[in-house]
Amino acid sequence: GWVETRQPRVVWVMKRADNDYLVSNAQCTHLGCIVDWHTEDETFKSPCHAGVFAKEDGRVLAGPPPRPLDSLEYKIENGEMWVKYQDFRLGVSEKVAIA
């Protein structure tokens, strides 16, 4: 037998220019909750600890997050976007990938 586990992974994709995108892990870098898009002020916000991130580059605008949203590698092939999803250590200022 085997155990199959499914975990949802969320990314945010923001178009900056033709074939140039900001692709980010949607986890807040503070404690890992999923940030939401807020149209009224065009920011990403943490629902838990008042973290606010910029649309253009994911930088921290407010709150306790120790670093910007974690950017992810991507490529576009035949009109489809492929994202290399990764999780990163939370609550630290360095972007450290979790193996």
Side-chain angles (χ1 to χ4, degrees):
W2 65 86
V3 175
E4 182 177 312
T5 303
R6 293 178 187 238
Q7 296 180 341
R9 302 290 189 219
V10 181
V11 300
W12 281 107
V13 178
M14 298 299 290
K15 186 172 186 172
R16 295 193 276 205
D18 287 340
N19 291 324
D20 181 31
Y21 299 89
L22 172 65
V23 181
S24 301
N25 184 319
Q27 286 186 316
C28 177
T29 56
H30 179 229
L31 293 176
C33 58
I34 302 300
V35 298
D36 299 316
W37 171 249
H38 287 253
T39 305
E40 68 278 0
D41 60 0
E42 295 192 334
T43 60
F44 295 100
K45 294 182 181 178
S46 164
C48 307
H49 297 100
V52 182
F53 300 90
K55 165 185 156 178
E56 301 81 21
D57 54 10
R59 73 186 179 284
V60 178
L61 298 174
R67 66 176 184 276
L69 290 174
D70 294 315
S71 60
L72 299 172
E73 293 178 38
Y74 72 91
K75 65 181 178 179
I76 298 179
E77 270 183 13
N78 300 320
E80 294 181 341
M81 177 179 282
W82 293 81
V83 176
K84 179 181 178 185
Y85 184 88
Q86 278 187 286
D87 283 317
F88 298 89
R89 186 170 294 157
L90 300 171
V92 297
S93 59
E94 311 84 36
K95 181 179 171 182
V96 179
I98 298 174

